[in-house]
Amino acid sequence: MGSKRLQNIQGYSFLLPAMLVILVFTLIPIAYAFFMMFFKVDLLSGARTFIGLNNFAKLLDDPKFWASCRNTFRYVLFVVPIQTIVAMVLAALLNSKVKFNRAFLTIMFIPTLTSSSAMTLIFMWLFNNNGVMVNLIDQVFGVRIAFLNNPDLALSVIMMMNIFSTVPHFMTVFLSGLQDIPESLYEAASLDGANAFRKFMNVTVPQLMPITFYVVTMGLVGCFQIFDQAFIISDGTGGPQNSTLTFSLYIYQLAFNSNDMGRATALAFILGAIIFIVTYIVNKWLKADEVNG
Amino acid sequence: MKKFAAILAAASILVGATACSNSEKAGKSSSNKDPITLAVWGSSPSESKALEATVASYEKESGKDVKIEVIQDNFQDALTSRFAAKNAPDVFYLESYAAPKFIKSGVLADLSKDIKNQDDFYQPLLDSFKDKGGKLYAAPKDYSTLALYVNKGLLEKAGYKVEDIPADWEGLVKFSKELQTKLSKDQAAMIFDNTLARNLSSLIASGLNPVTDKGKADFTSNQKAIDYMKSLVDGQKAGYLKNPKIDMGIDSAGAAFGTNKAVMMIEGNWVLSALKQEYPDVKYDVLPAPTVNGKKETMTFNVGYAVAKDTDNKKGAVDFVNYMTGKGQKQWSEMSGTLPTRQSVTKEMKIDQDPVLSAHANGAAYGTVWSSGVNLPTISQAFDNQLLAAFNGDKSVEKAMKDAEKEANDEIARQE
């Protein structure tokens, strides 16, 4: 009994530093945010007045909230499936015995290593009205497309950029998963007369399910929280015409431009709830727990 | 093993405890010694050097210690969080644009009776740091105004002289249109900026104050102001007005001007250091910003020193601010190349006779200071956001302004 208690103490003492950090920097702020979202808070002076659920009512009445909602969901619905599928297919291709696959892997990994802000600046340079892409399209098709100040296209530039930079990361995750699939499954499939495509669909994809769940979840969380690219591309405004206004960017604007921490925490709570619910649904749908990985 | 675990647990607790007590001690000893903390944003090397030198002169004269803290990015946000954490610097830079928010929150010390010789300041600069009751919360340290820069080399190549440039906005637009036909496709007759920060004075000169007496947005009540905005939209569409970032892919107006991609630009004196250091071959003239609707106008961007209300060293802080905006202002202005906020220093430095700086300095008397109540950030954000729709051709200027007005006023209602 005594030795067990001592072992417990030992365990907790090892955990203590990490637990303290989590407590101070994660749990207490979350609890505080729960508290703040029922108040009108002046961040500068710290003055606050209780207004109940008024912050939520204000948000529902706010066209910018709905714009950020629309943008974020549009972003997630495009980026997550595309990045997952592309990463999986690329991983499968690299896992087959093509020549120089290591070299390809290295080159393709570079975008992930680049910081997202540097990446955004590069994309802004490519896509501005006098940029390489615009001039290229002009020469080939004879139309000038204003990517960055056209509200229908500005978000697409960020989407492309995010897919470009996250695919390599998820690709390596898939690659490691692929190497765990027993060769015997493929042999059995070959004996049954499956071609390469059938093998991919009926062996690789189901076997990768736990990895896919991880990739989709991380993709969802990352996409729902998209901030830096939207911030840089629009200079923090979320423009043109709110087309790059995402949840996180609007939280930032509410807290620091509108000096309204209450509404910002209310929106953060909504974002947290959305991520939780969507992840839960995806978990049920992909049946991540049941697959024998 | 057990022993080891026990020792480790004890050690970790001990380390934690001593770490806490250490930091407490450090905090106390520093507040006993009382250096004045000064928070500034990161700026050009010449300004940083000038600040260090002026602060050093103050330290030498007063025998006090000043600690400069440079906040590189998003100064307002960082400062806001410092206040929220009750850890505000004693003295800090304050833009007049952000001043109403800080004044309303009640976190600034009242300096009405502390700042010396207030009549000597350019009054519009001083007024932007006052609340409605006339109490003063910051002392202006320097300012910038907009003026018209002309690239002489390009202009003469196109067959014009500086004297040909009209002094009024309508004439200038027509001139740009004509000039553009003599330039290559990647060059701009004039660079423009589509934000409210650069155009507020023109709107006011047109007869529209976008911020009403009650602090609400008004973009639609005046046809002349709408026409002014239309002239920008038309100019961009036809290509003789260009936005450096969006239309030319160049980071800043100064860079476009310096690399001979633009003949004219309406910019603040902050471009001067880049023009001098990075593009010394470009020959240029500086003219006053164009008149709009027959009225002189320019935008003034004003920065001051404010003191935190909760400082435990108000006397020292005030003394420092008085030095920096008084006796030390000449040293600061000369080294940094910024414009002095005191009329006496302006005369002493003979800025009104300087061919480049006089166009800027003369604007201080009549310029519109970029500050107009707590709601200006909300109002300008809605304006910038919606005017872009007009530039894209998605909306007419009238529709865009109507939407901007609604967007801003709805948001203001939510904030109240």
Side-chain angles (χ1 to χ4, degrees):
Chain A
M1 189 63 199
S3 96
K4 192 155 189 202
R5 179 189 275 165
L6 204 68
Q7 268 191 350
N8 279 343
I9 294 175
Q10 181 183 4
Y12 284 119
S13 67
F14 281 132
L15 281 176
L16 189 70
M19 297 237 286
L20 275 178
V21 170
I22 290 173
L23 185 75
V24 173
F25 291 105
T26 309
L27 295 180
I28 293 178
I30 288 176
Y32 193 51
F34 260 102
F35 170 73
M36 295 257 272
M37 67 193 185
F38 301 109
F39 289 84
K40 181 177 166 55
V41 185
D42 182 338
L43 193 57
L44 267 176
S45 62
R48 54 171 180 256
T49 36
F50 183 78
I51 54 167
L53 291 173
N54 221 335
N55 281 326
F56 290 94
K58 280 180 185 170
L59 280 174
L60 295 181
D61 180 44
D62 183 352
K64 275 180 115 176
F65 166 76
W66 293 109
S68 68
C69 198
R70 213 166 36 241
N71 291 332
T72 312
F73 271 96
R74 199 178 131 208
Y75 186 82
V76 169
L77 286 177
F78 267 92
V79 172
V80 176
I82 294 177
Q83 78 185 11
T84 311
I85 292 167
V86 172
M88 194 191 277
V89 171
L90 278 179
L93 288 178
L94 278 180
N95 199 37
S96 60
K97 295 184 173 52
V98 279
K99 270 188 181 169
F100 308 120
N101 58 358
R102 283 282 138 192
F104 281 124
L105 184 64
T106 311
I107 293 168
M108 284 202 274
F109 204 64
I110 290 173
T112 300
L113 299 177
T114 316
S115 87
S116 64
S117 27
M119 194 86 143
T120 312
L121 292 174
I122 293 170
F123 265 71
M124 280 175 78
W125 178 74
L126 287 173
F127 284 95
N128 76 59
N129 287 6
N130 196 26
V132 178
M133 282 306 289
V134 177
N135 285 334
L136 198 72
I137 293 171
D138 188 21
Q139 273 169 18
V140 178
F141 300 103
V143 281
R144 290 194 80 82
I145 305 171
F147 283 98
L148 294 185
N149 54 346
N150 183 331
D152 301 326
L153 295 175
L155 193 66
S156 319
V157 173
I158 307 181
M159 288 179 186
M160 265 188 273
M161 183 162 60
N162 197 17
I163 292 172
F164 184 65
S165 67
T166 51
V167 155
H169 170 226
F170 290 135
M171 181 183 76
T172 43
V173 176
F174 274 125
L175 256 180
S176 67
L178 281 173
Q179 277 150 12
D180 283 345
I181 301 176
E183 198 56 36
S184 56
L185 289 178
Y186 289 104
E187 280 170 22
S190 299
L191 288 177
D192 287 341
N195 58 20
F197 180 71
R198 292 293 301 266
K199 275 195 246 176
F200 178 75
M201 291 306 290
N202 294 338
V203 180
T204 312
V205 173
Q207 285 293 316
L208 278 179
M209 220 28 126
I211 309 280
T212 312
F213 172 69
Y214 168 79
V215 169
V216 170
T217 310
M218 296 321 276
L220 279 175
V221 174
C223 286
F224 270 116
Q225 293 182 347
I226 167 105
F227 175 77
D228 39 3
Q229 289 98 330
F231 183 88
I232 296 171
I233 227 165
S234 70
D235 245 345
T237 62
Q241 289 151 273
N242 292 335
S243 65
T244 56
L245 187 71
T246 62
F247 271 135
S248 304
L249 186 54
Y250 196 37
I251 291 173
Y252 166 85
Q253 285 190 359
L254 285 174
F256 289 103
N257 295 356
S258 309
N259 199 19
D260 192 346
M261 204 59 184
R263 236 181 329 151
T265 46
L267 182 54
F269 173 78
I270 293 177
L271 175 60
I274 289 175
I275 295 179
F276 183 81
I277 293 166
V278 172
T279 316
Y280 182 78
I281 294 170
V282 168
N283 193 355
K284 285 282 156 210
W285 178 55
L286 288 179
K287 298 193 182 71
D289 309 333
E290 295 165 27
V291 183
N292 54 337
Chain B
M1 189 63 205
K2 282 175 201 163
K3 222 178 190 176
F4 173 70
I7 291 170
L8 194 83
S12 68
I13 290 166
L14 207 69
V15 168
T18 45
C20 286
S21 64
N22 268 348
S23 65
E24 246 166 50
K25 249 185 226 158
K28 258 180 205 159
S29 69
S30 72
S31 72
N32 281 341
K33 211 184 147 203
D34 257 357
I36 299 160
T37 51
L38 167 69
V40 304
W41 52 71
S43 50
S44 67
S46 63
E47 278 195 34
S48 307
K49 260 188 218 153
L51 181 69
E52 277 163 27
T54 318
V55 166
S57 316
Y58 171 74
E59 285 175 327
K60 206 173 156 196
E61 198 184 282
S62 67
K64 284 179 189 140
D65 245 0
V66 178
K67 199 174 136 221
I68 303 174
E69 295 172 16
V70 182
I71 297 172
Q72 287 297 353
D73 252 342
N74 293 334
F75 182 80
Q76 295 302 340
D77 302 347
L79 200 61
T80 304
S81 10
R82 292 277 299 268
F83 271 102
K86 308 277 175 229
N87 180 28
D90 297 326
V91 184
F92 52 93
Y93 281 7
L94 182 67
E95 287 175 276
S96 47
Y97 172 67
K101 182 173 110 178
F102 282 83
I103 293 173
K104 189 187 166 203
S105 295
V107 294
L108 302 183
D110 179 1
L111 303 179
S112 312
K113 293 190 180 110
D114 299 313
I115 299 301
K116 287 178 196 153
N117 199 3
Q118 294 181 16
D119 294 340
D120 188 26
F121 287 110
Y122 286 104
Q123 290 307 304
L125 306 183
L126 199 67
D127 290 345
S128 67
F129 292 123
K130 285 180 180 166
D131 68 1
K132 276 188 185 144
K135 281 185 188 157
L136 181 71
Y137 290 93
K141 79 175 182 78
D142 57 44
Y143 67 96
S144 305
T145 64
L146 301 180
L148 179 65
Y149 284 69
V150 184
N151 184 325
K152 270 161 106 176
L154 283 183
L155 189 74
E156 276 156 22
K157 218 163 132 196
Y160 296 98
K161 285 190 297 248
V162 175
E163 293 75 42
D164 298 334
I165 297 173
D168 66 308
W169 174 252
E170 271 178 39
L172 192 62
V173 168
K174 272 190 203 127
F175 179 74
S176 303
K177 198 172 176 180
E178 199 185 306
L179 178 62
Q180 187 69 39
T181 58
K182 302 189 168 81
L183 300 172
S184 73
K185 209 179 147 195
D186 63 339
Q187 287 175 320
M190 185 156 67
I191 283 174
F192 82 109
D193 190 298
N194 49 3
T195 58
L196 188 61
R198 300 297 184 85
N199 294 299
L200 179 67
S201 56
S202 305
L203 296 180
I204 290 177
S206 306
L208 172 80
N209 192 344
V211 185
T212 65
D213 296 340
K214 285 178 184 155
K216 292 280 164 69
D218 172 15
F219 298 127
T220 51
S221 68
N222 185 299
Q223 188 55 38
K224 271 189 186 152
I226 302 260
D227 290 342
Y228 170 80
M229 285 180 264
K230 271 188 186 154
S231 69
L232 291 175
V233 174
D234 294 344
Q236 196 232 16
K237 218 176 197 174
Y240 52 85
L241 298 183
K242 286 195 172 83
N243 179 307
K245 252 190 202 156
I246 297 174
D247 298 323
M248 309 170 84
I250 301 174
D251 284 338
S252 68
F257 188 84
T259 51
N260 287 322
K261 297 278 188 212
V263 186
M264 296 183 285
M265 63 174 177
I266 299 176
E267 278 292 317
N269 33 304
W270 53 77
V271 296
L272 282 169
S273 69
L275 288 181
K276 269 180 208 148
Q277 279 153 26
E278 287 164 47
Y279 315 105
D281 302 334
V282 177
K283 296 272 173 293
Y284 57 88
D285 264 4
V286 185
L287 310 173
T291 59
V292 172
N293 196 20
K295 289 178 191 130
K296 278 192 198 172
E297 56 80 31
T298 185
M299 287 302 297
T300 306
F301 302 91
N302 180 20
V303 180
Y305 285 108
V307 175
K309 195 181 185 183
D310 290 338
T311 174
D312 45 12
N313 187 12
K314 191 185 168 193
K315 215 176 143 228
V318 165
D319 189 47
F320 172 71
V321 172
N322 264 323
Y323 181 86
M324 296 301 279
T325 58
K327 206 173 166 189
Q329 184 164 66
K330 190 164 170 245
Q331 186 186 13
W332 156 253
S333 300
E334 274 175 353
M335 282 185 74
S336 65
T338 56
L339 296 172
T341 52
R342 282 186 183 276
Q343 300 180 37
S344 59
V345 182
T346 308
K347 279 210 189 87
E348 206 185 326
M349 287 171 66
K350 298 201 169 75
I351 283 174
D352 38 357
Q353 289 157 37
D354 184 296
V356 171
L357 288 178
S358 60
H360 288 291
N362 293 340
Y366 59 83
T368 306
V369 177
W370 178 230
S371 176
S372 193
V374 248
N375 291 333
L376 184 61
T378 305
I379 292 171
S380 71
Q381 200 173 36
F383 178 91
D384 296 352
N385 197 12
Q386 290 293 341
L387 192 59
L388 261 183
F391 281 108
N392 295 334
D394 286 356
K395 291 179 185 173
S396 65
V397 173
E398 284 90 349
K399 174 91 172 58
M401 285 302 106
K402 216 172 142 190
D403 291 352
E405 191 176 301
K406 188 175 179 320
E407 186 181 318
N409 286 336
D410 286 353
E411 175 60 24
I412 290 166
R414 278 190 290 273
Q415 281 175 21
E416 272 161 4

